[in-house]
Structures are given as structure tokens and as C-alpha cells.
């Protein structure tokens, strides 16, 4: 039974079995079918939107190459969510509807490993974008010397290695992946909050500094223009961060409220819908790029014309 209690090593060994429950009724199946239909639509929008963004980024030359690489990496992970994770999710949920338990357990491993890998890379990339914006603001002219394309490639490669290794721990012990993702989420949130708080304080200090020059009759146009340019770049990165946080919030709430004694069916269904909301993020990001980053918006328009 899904609601049966397990403790200690027995609960740890059977952790993965709660993701292929055999307690569904006809009423419950309609929720899984709805999830499958919704993810088929999201798979298409994520594929189409991120394909356009990747084409636009390839043609766009005005963005700083390291920043461009980070946005491209985020678009690649969102693209992979659309063409890999969501179709696998649909097969997983339909295997439950058709009561194909052996297929469910096989697909479950692919579902967890690919989903964990791509979501972790997305979290790390969005966090690195916030750090990149902080470095651009705080380092000034030294930014292009410190944040190079080669170093950014190394960071992106490290993101993928760490994410893949962490996700494959599912085959050792599923609970390792559970705690690994929780730690990554906490670290990424803490880093992003610190970065944007620091950015706000620096921009505020620069604005006060510019006003001081203005009152003294000294020119402050350069400081104001620099502030406006950085504020625009930070705004686009912050919107990506906010949308990601909104999409991940229900999952975090559900995971941190995991029952200690058994897993009711309602908890299982709530977690599946939380996964779907995370996938929505992959379809929303292309819209954010077009809305907040003028260079990408113009490149997408050119791609659509062609």
C-alpha cells in the first residue's frame, strides 16, 4: 500500500517504489491523463521557443560572449526538457494509467536522472547569471579580464559534470538524489539572494554618488548612463530568476513537507503537478528573453522573417 509506513533501511530501499504506486482508481487516472496532455503541449512550446532562442543567440554579436554562453546553456537545458524530459514524463504517467508496472520502473529511472540533471544545470546556470551581473557591476573595467569565455566554458562544463554525477546517484540510492537536489536548491537561492542584494546596494550607492556630483555642479552623466545600462541587464536576469523561483516554489514546499510516516496518494499527485510547473519554466524563458533583452528580440524577429 502507498500509505504503509516504513522506517530506517526498509524505507530507504523502497523509496523508489512509491513513484510507481498501484493504488490508482478510475478517478485518479484522469489526473495523470491531464498531466500527460499538458506536458505534450509544453514539450512543443519548449522545443519551438528555445530553438528560436538558440538560432537568435548564434546570430547575436552584441552580447558579451560569457553572458551569451550562459543564456545559450540555459536555452539548451530548456530545449532538452522539451524534447527529452517531458516526453519521458508522458510515457511514465501513461504506464501508470495502463498499469504497466515493469515499464513504469524502467521509465522512472530515466525520468529521475534526466529531470534531475537538467533542472540542476538550469538552477546553477541561472545562479551564475546573477553572479555574472554582480561581477560586471562591481569589477567595472576589470570585468572582461576576469570573466573570460574560457573560464565560463569551464564553469558550464563543471555544471554538467556535477549535475550528471549527482543524478546518477539514483542508481546507488534514490534518497541521495533527493538530498542532493535540496542542497543545490538551498545553495543556489542563497547565492542569488546575496548577488541581487549586493547589486541593489551598489546601484543605490552609485545613484547617491551621482546625485552628489550633480549638487556640486559636476557632470554625472557617465555614472547615470552606466547605472542605467547595468540596471537594464540586471532587470532581465532578475526576471529569469523570479520566474524560475515561482515555478520551483511549489516543488520546494511539497518536498520539505514530505510525510515522515507513509506517502498518501494525494501527496504523490501534488508532486507530479509540481514537476509539471517546473517544466513550464522551460516554455516561459524564451518569452522572457524576447521581452527583456532587446538584442535577442530583434534576432528572433529576423529568424522568423527568414
Amino acid at each position: 500500500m502507498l500509505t504503509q509506513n516504513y522506517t530506517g533501511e526498509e524505507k530507504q530501499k523502497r523509496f523508489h517504489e512509491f513513484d510507481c504506486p498501484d493504488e490508482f482508481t478510475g478517478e485518479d487516472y484522469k489526473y495523470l491523463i491531464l498531466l500527460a496532455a499538458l506536458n505534450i503541449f509544453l514539450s512543443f512550446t519548449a522545443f519551438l521557443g528555445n530553438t528560436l532562442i538558440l538560432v537568435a543567440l548564434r546570430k547575436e554579436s552584441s552580447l558579451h560572449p560569457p553572458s551569451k554562453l550562459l543564456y545559450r546553456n540555459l536555452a539548451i537545458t530548456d530545449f532538452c526538457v522539451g524534447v527529452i524530459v517531458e516526453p519521458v514524463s508522458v510515457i511514465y504517467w501513461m504506464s501508470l494509467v495502463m498499469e504497466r508496472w515493469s515499464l513504469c520502473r524502467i521509465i522512472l529511472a530515466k525520468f529521475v536522472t534526466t529531470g534531475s540533471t537538467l533542472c540542476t544545470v538550469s538552477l546553477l546556470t541561472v545562479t551564475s547569471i546573477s553572479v555574472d551581473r554582480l561581477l560586471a557591476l562591481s569589477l567595472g573595467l576589470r570585468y572582461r579580464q576576469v570573466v573570460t569565455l574560457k573560464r565560463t566554458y569551464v564553469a558550464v562544463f563543471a555544471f554538467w559534470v556535477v549535475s550528471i554525477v549527482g543524478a546518477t546517484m539514483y542508481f546507488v540510492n534514490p534518497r541521495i538524489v533527493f538530498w542532493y537536489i535540496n542542497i543545490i536548491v538551498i545553495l543556489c537561492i542563497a547565492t542569488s539572494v546575496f548577488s541581487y542584494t549586493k547589486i541593489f546596494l551598489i546601484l543605490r550607492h552609485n545613484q547617491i554618488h551621482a546625485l552628489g556630483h550633480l549638487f556640486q555642479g559636476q557632470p554625472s552623466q557617465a555614472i547615470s548612463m552606466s547605472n542605467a545600462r547595468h540596471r537594464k541587464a540586471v532587470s532581465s536576469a532578475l526576471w529569469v530568476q523570479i520566474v524560475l523561483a515561482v515555478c520551483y516554489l511549489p516543488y520546494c514546499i511539497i518536498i520539505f513537507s514530505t510525510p515522515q510516516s507513509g506517502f498518501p496518494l494525494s501527496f504523490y499527485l501534488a508532486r507530479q503537478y509540481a514537476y509539471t510547473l517546473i517544466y513550464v519554466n522551460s516554455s516561459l524563458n524564451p518569452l522572457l528573453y524576447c521581452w527583456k533583452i532587446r538584442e535577442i528580440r530583434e534576432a528572433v524577429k529576423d529568424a522568423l522573417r527568414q
Side-chain angles (χ1 to χ4, degrees), residues 10-236:
E10 185 180 7
K11 182 176 180 179
Q12 186 169 332
K13 290 178 181 178
R14 300 195 60 174
F15 184 81
H16 66 284
E17 296 182 12
F18 295 112
D19 286 305
C20 288
D22 57 359
E23 294 188 353
F24 286 110
T25 64
E27 185 70 16
D28 300 318
Y29 285 144
K30 69 179 183 181
Y31 296 111
L32 296 178
I33 294 173
L34 177 61
L35 278 172
L38 179 59
N39 277 268
I40 290 173
F41 171 75
L42 292 175
S43 176
F44 174 75
T45 56
F47 165 76
L48 180 61
N50 287 287
T51 298
L52 286 172
I53 294 301
L54 289 171
V55 171
L57 286 172
R58 185 172 61 85
K59 296 181 177 181
E60 174 54 41
S61 59
S62 61
L63 289 174
H64 185 43
S67 301
K68 181 178 175 180
L69 175 60
L70 292 175
Y71 279 111
R72 180 185 288 129
N73 189 56
L74 188 57
I76 289 173
T77 60
D78 290 335
F79 175 85
C80 291
V81 167
V83 299
I84 299 175
V85 179
E86 289 179 302
V88 170
S89 302
V90 171
I91 297 173
Y92 165 62
W93 289 318
M94 293 311 296
S95 70
L96 291 173
V97 173
M98 295 183 295
E99 299 183 354
R100 300 283 298 276
W101 312 123
S102 58
L103 175 62
C104 177
R105 291 183 177 87
I106 293 172
I107 294 298
L108 176 62
K110 301 180 184 296
F111 174 49
V112 173
T113 52
T114 56
S116 299
T117 298
L118 294 172
C119 290
T120 303
V121 173
S122 292
L123 281 168
L124 292 171
T125 304
V126 171
T127 304
S128 64
I129 289 173
S130 68
V131 174
D132 175 68
R133 292 300 86 208
L134 174 60
L135 293 175
L137 186 59
S138 58
L139 294 178
L141 297 177
R142 292 179 55 241
Y143 167 70
R144 292 180 179 269
Q145 298 175 350
V146 175
V147 183
T148 62
L149 186 59
K150 181 179 179 180
R151 290 175 179 173
T152 309
Y153 268 114
V154 171
V156 169
F157 178 76
F159 294 163
W160 282 95
V161 171
V162 169
S163 300
I164 292 172
V165 171
T168 53
M169 287 295 104
Y170 173 84
F171 299 103
V172 178
N173 188 332
R175 294 188 67 84
I176 294 178
V177 180
F178 174 80
W179 289 110
Y180 158 78
I181 292 178
N182 288 346
I183 291 171
I184 291 293
V185 169
I186 292 172
L187 290 176
C188 288
I189 290 175
T191 303
S192 296
V193 169
F194 170 80
S195 297
Y196 286 114
T197 302
K198 188 72 174 176
I199 287 171
F200 171 77
L201 293 175
I202 293 174
L203 288 174
R204 185 170 178 270
H205 175 268
N206 290 347
Q207 190 66 32
I208 294 173
H209 188 60
L211 288 174
H213 279 283
L214 183 63
F215 287 137
Q216 294 173 10
Q218 300 176 4
S220 59
Q221 186 177 2
I223 298 177
S224 298
M225 290 179 62
S226 176
N227 255 18
R229 185 174 65 253
H230 284 299
R231 192 178 291 110
K232 181 181 177 182
V234 169
S235 173
S236 60

Side-chain angles (χ1 to χ4, degrees), residues 56 60 62-63 232 292-300:
E60 174 54 41
S62 61
L63 289 174
K232 181 181 177 182
K292 299 300 294 184
I293 306 177
R294 182 182 59 81
E295 295 85 356
I296 293 180
R297 181 170 62 250
E298 295 302 322
V300 168

Side-chain angles (χ1 to χ4, degrees), residues 288-306:
L288 287 175
Y289 303 150
C290 294
W291 175 38
K292 299 300 294 184
I293 306 177
R294 182 182 59 81
E295 295 85 356
I296 293 180
R297 181 170 62 250
E298 295 302 322
V300 168
K301 288 180 180 178
D302 291 337
L304 289 173
R305 292 191 192 102
Q306 296 172 9

